[in-house]
Amino acid sequence: MRRGFITKRLRSGRKPSVDSIERKIESIRGEKFTWIDLQNPDRSDVEGLATKYNFNSLNIEDCMTKFELPKLDSYDDHFFVILHLPPLSQKTGVIKNSQLSIFMGTDFLVTVHQGDLKPLVDLVDICKGEVDLQRKERLLGRPSSFLLHEIIDILVDDLLHTSRRIIANLDDLEDGVFDETKSVARSIALLRREINKHRRIAAPLKKFVLEIAKNVKRFAGGGDDLMLYFDDVIDHIDKVIETLEESRETMEIYKDTDFVLSTEKTNNVLAVLTIIFTLAIPATVIGTFYGMNVTLPGGMQDGLYVFGPYTAFIIVILASAIPAALMFAYFKKLGWMSG
């Protein structure tokens, strides 16, 4: 069979804006199958394929729902699966997963996504381009099951790279945790959120890849060699899960350490302020009494000029400093001012 590719681009009738999303349908013909990739499709795009390949209407509804739970439905002539994957680039705010919907039958492979899975978009460009002909021949010259494996493999590899990036961020965060001049509470919270998000993706992904490997043999063959390919993907997912679990445990240690160090720093500050306030109590009390417009012992009205005209002032200073010095010595003896 002669191999080629057909590209169809759909644009809305409205004037495009900077943030407008382009709808694309790429139909790529292989030797034994046709791969149709839909990026940001409308319902009419998917319904047209549903009529051609006899897709279930409920699967069409799930396919167009952007935040459907992962699932796998198997039929006599094809199977349908929804996978969740992290987007390559994440904006601040609420993090949402990328969704990939796959329909696979004997002679067709249909992928539906929102275009934010860059490794998949790059793979589409390779299969419809003339740059990497050797890889294109390898992807399109074999059954569709091998192409499906390649799609899942590159997305899992991207997830593996992301988990390694999390490890690198943990190493950078470690220095900040033990640096008293930096506040890392927000960084810890953001990284914990990212780790938990990837754990929620990786755990069900392993289960569904195993189910895909079982179903794909029914329609595209591949034999034991194909199972070896999918076993390799499972190994990568296991590495991702193991890395995320280790990262989660490390992050909990960092969180507790940061809390302990922050609490200790706060307690030290409060201790210093409390001691200063306590030492100032005698001076405050005596200064309050002698600031009153009443007759008090040691006042100028008593004619006491032992230290000259500043006798009253010196008496007030001594009466304030001596109790403060005694309290300081006592606190030092108790070890409260050892720092």
Side-chain angles (χ1 to χ4, degrees), residues 169 192 240 339:
N169 291 339
R192 286 184 68 199
V240 171

Side-chain angles (χ1 to χ4, degrees), residues 172-186:
D172 296 337
L173 189 62
E174 181 180 5
D175 297 332
V177 169
F178 295 97
D179 189 347
E180 294 184 357
T181 62
K182 297 181 180 179
S183 177
V184 295
R186 178 176 175 81

Side-chain angles (χ1 to χ4, degrees), residues 83-142:
L83 301 177
H84 281 181
L85 296 152
L88 186 65
S89 60
Q90 301 171 0
K91 298 180 180 180
T92 57
V94 179
I95 299 178
K96 299 178 180 178
N97 299 336
S98 296
Q99 180 172 296
L100 173 63
S101 302
I102 301 172
F103 297 88
M104 182 175 180
T106 304
D107 58 351
F108 67 86
L109 176 64
V110 178
T111 53
V112 183
H113 56 100
Q114 298 303 314
D116 51 357
L117 297 174
K118 190 175 183 301
L120 178 56
V121 176
D122 294 340
L123 191 64
V124 173
D125 294 337
I126 290 175
C127 289
K128 70 184 182 67
E130 301 294 335
V131 179
D132 194 347
L133 295 178
Q134 184 177 0
R135 188 179 183 187
K136 177 181 177 181
E137 175 72 23
R138 179 169 57 85
L139 293 174
L140 301 179
R142 296 187 293 180

